[in-house]
Amino acid sequence: MKLVEFRALPLSEAMQQFAEQAEINVITSPEAAKVELSVYLRNVTAKEALDAITKANGLYYKVDSQSGIVRISTAKEYKQTLADFQDEQTEVFTLLYPNPYVVALAIRNTFGNRVRLGFGDQMSDFDQISD
């Protein structure tokens, strides 16, 4: 990107313009959207600009690996998200004589697109992965 410049602009508006220019998808949390930006960057990549903007304003961003959507939140919101995941518990179930195919489908259906299901060298017809 040749030039990234925002003067006293709310993050929500700045990211709308930034996303348009960088041809990426960006979502800001309601709290992060209120942050006011003043930025002047030259000859940087979109990632470098995003890194600089978020770090300078106490924000955090994460790129969704499947959709490519950039999610921007405050550090407080990010910490809360991490705390929510730390409260998760793992349970182990012993299955007697399970059908591996049925178990694999049940796991994939429970966790959706977070699971990549494969059978040997071939992906199943049921696997809905878009690379």
Side-chain angles (χ1 to χ4, degrees):
M1 300 180 78
K2 206 161 180 100
L3 178 66
V4 178
E5 182 177 16
F6 303 114
R7 293 184 187 175
L9 201 59
L11 180 71
S12 59
E13 292 178 34
M15 287 301 103
Q16 185 177 8
Q17 293 175 21
F18 180 79
E20 192 73 29
Q21 185 178 358
E23 296 181 352
I24 59 174
N25 294 313
V26 178
I27 297 174
T28 59
S29 71
E31 282 302 308
K34 299 174 188 173
V35 173
E36 189 175 277
L37 289 184
S38 290
V39 176
Y40 183 84
L41 300 169
R42 292 176 23 169
N43 300 320
V44 294
T45 65
K47 184 183 180 324
E48 291 169 338
L50 200 53
D51 282 340
I53 290 168
T54 54
K55 286 178 184 175
N57 291 283
L59 301 170
Y60 177 82
Y61 81 92
K62 181 170 174 55
V63 180
D64 185 285
S65 60
Q66 292 202 321
S67 65
I69 295 173
V70 177
R71 289 174 169 67
I72 301 176
S73 60
T74 63
K76 183 179 177 181
E77 289 169 320
Y78 176 67
K79 286 178 188 175
Q80 181 60 42
T81 302
L82 289 179
D84 291 344
F85 283 115
Q86 290 174 349
D87 293 339
E88 290 183 1
Q89 295 181 350
T90 302
E91 292 187 44
V92 177
F93 299 92
T94 302
L95 304 175
L96 299 176
Y97 312 109
N99 178 327
Y101 181 78
V102 172
V103 172
L105 287 177
I107 292 170
R108 202 280 318 277
N109 291 340
T110 301
F111 294 102
N113 61 5
R114 293 186 289 169
V115 174
R116 187 171 190 169
L117 181 59
F119 298 98
D121 292 337
Q122 298 177 338
M123 298 303 285
S124 85
D125 294 330
F126 299 102
D127 198 5
Q128 302 295 323
I129 296 175
S130 59
D131 290 330

